[in-house]
Amino acid sequence: MTKKIAVIQDLSGFGRCSLTAALPIISVMGVQPCPMPTAVLTAQTGYPSYYMDDLTDKMEYFREEWQKMQVHFDGIYTGFVASEQQIRNILSFIDTFKEEDTFLLVDPVMGDDGKVYDMFTPTLCKLMKELSLKADIITPNLTELCLLTELPYEGVLEIDNVEELVNVVTAMARHLMKMGPSDVIVTGLRYQEDGIEMMGNLAVNKEGVTLKGSPLLGCSYSGTGDIFASIVAGGMARGDALSEIITEARDFITTAIKRSPKEGTYNADGVDFEPILGMLIK
């Protein structure tokens, strides 16, 4: 039977992020995404104007109706969470549907570049850590890793020596692994390699440590973190090896970023990935 992943995220009419990115990517990887929308937006929040309809009070209906259907999920994948109640709803969903053969992937969206997003209160950060420690795999960026480990990030963000950065980040990841997740993938690491500025993702699990990087391209687009986490979710459901998954994600995102300026893609639109979805077919 086709593997199924419950995807708990918001849906934006414009902007390739959250569900708009997760649904086509997971589908083309041969896995069925089952969306639970947490909010519906006319456009993602990177646009100058948008309307949002908060669906927090509708999440429980999804849980109840899917429970009546006695559905089984091979994976549960959560991304951006907008409120404390949404996390409580997700925790209830996990209690209902996470079985022994169901993986939980949490992308703990809380901040970037050493800054916490404005809407993340101390209580919301605490609940996000609680959710992350229930996960089998998490995909934080370096700022989010520092928030989850409750360590200061000022010094960590300034490390550009690759060996030192890998050692420090690995130690932080293993600290979290003692409390919950078996796999930690730290995304968007910047470092120097042979004089070249690189961007990479570091995967840490009991088998070892894997760093997959590529030269920094000098342009930034919304939603690449959502694309990365979606590829990880699809790869986990397919049973792919973690090192294979992050290589595939790196190559796909790099290709999408390179083609986007040529297509005149606006930053908030996200990368132009639709024409290259075939790269993810196994």
Side-chain angles (χ1 to χ4, degrees):
M1 294 180 64
T2 302
K3 298 290 182 71
K4 296 180 179 66
I5 298 176
V7 187
I8 308 175
Q9 296 190 29
D10 58 281
L11 175 66
S12 296
F14 279 86
R16 300 172 175 96
C17 63
S18 302
L19 285 176
T20 318
L23 297 183
I25 286 170
I26 293 173
S27 295
V28 82
M29 295 181 76
V31 179
Q32 179 184 349
C34 304
M36 175 195 281
T38 58
V40 176
L41 297 87
T42 56
Q44 62 106 341
T45 57
Y47 287 85
S49 177
Y50 61 89
Y51 166 78
M52 182 182 75
D53 187 9
D54 189 331
L55 301 181
T56 301
D57 60 347
K58 305 296 190 297
M59 294 172 67
E60 181 64 10
Y61 291 115
F62 275 76
R63 189 193 67 80
E64 290 177 351
E65 292 300 321
W66 286 353
Q67 186 177 29
K68 290 177 187 177
M69 294 167 60
Q70 297 183 330
V71 297
H72 169 75
F73 294 110
D74 300 280
I76 300 170
Y77 161 33
T78 75
F80 175 75
V81 177
S83 69
E84 297 167 15
Q85 186 57 47
Q86 284 192 0
I87 294 187
R88 294 188 181 99
N89 290 346
I90 291 171
L91 291 171
S92 177
F93 185 94
I94 291 167
D95 287 341
T96 301
F97 292 106
K98 191 176 189 309
E99 302 178 43
E100 188 174 341
D101 59 347
T102 305
F103 70 82
L104 172 60
L105 187 156
V106 173
D107 185 13
V109 182
M110 291 187 287
D112 202 0
D113 295 325
K115 297 178 182 179
V116 182
Y117 296 138
D118 291 340
M119 47 82 63
F120 265 82
T121 63
T123 301
L124 189 50
C125 286
K126 181 180 178 181
L127 284 169
M128 180 60 83
K129 181 174 181 179
E130 180 182 343
L131 175 61
S132 298
L133 294 182
K134 286 183 175 291
D136 299 291
I137 182 167
I138 59 174
T139 57
N141 60 36
L142 187 52
T143 298
E144 292 155 352
L145 180 67
C146 290
L147 289 168
L148 291 173
T149 54
E150 300 179 23
L151 295 173
Y153 40 72
E154 288 81 3
V156 178
L157 292 175
E158 296 168 0
I159 300 173
D160 61 2
N161 177 275
V162 61
E163 291 184 7
E164 182 182 359
L165 183 63
V166 167
N167 289 337
V168 169
V169 173
T170 298
M172 295 168 70
R174 293 205 184 282
H175 174 72
L176 279 180
M177 289 165 62
K178 291 177 182 178
M179 297 183 282
S182 56
D183 297 274
V184 177
I185 306 177
V186 187
T187 63
L189 294 177
R190 294 192 177 194
Y191 56 93
Q192 295 283 333
E193 190 173 89
D194 298 327
I196 299 173
E197 191 170 1
M198 304 286 286
M199 176 78 79
N201 304 302
L202 182 73
V204 183
N205 59 19
K206 63 181 181 181
E207 280 76 35
V209 178
T210 303
L211 176 65
K212 298 289 184 178
S214 58
L216 192 64
L217 296 175
C219 52
S220 177
Y221 287 90
S222 298
T224 52
D226 295 331
I227 292 172
F228 182 89
S230 298
I231 293 173
V232 173
M236 292 284 290
R238 289 198 307 202
D240 298 345
L242 192 59
S243 60
E244 179 184 350
I245 294 170
I246 64 171
T247 299
E248 189 171 32
R250 177 201 62 188
D251 294 346
F252 182 82
I253 293 171
T254 299
T255 303
I257 291 175
K258 285 181 177 179
R259 63 173 284 114
S260 295
K262 300 175 185 177
E263 300 297 325
T265 305
Y266 174 47
N267 171 276
D269 286 343
V271 291
D272 186 37
F273 69 77
E274 291 88 352
I276 61 168
L277 280 168
M279 290 178 64
L280 301 175
I281 297 173
K282 194 168 185 179

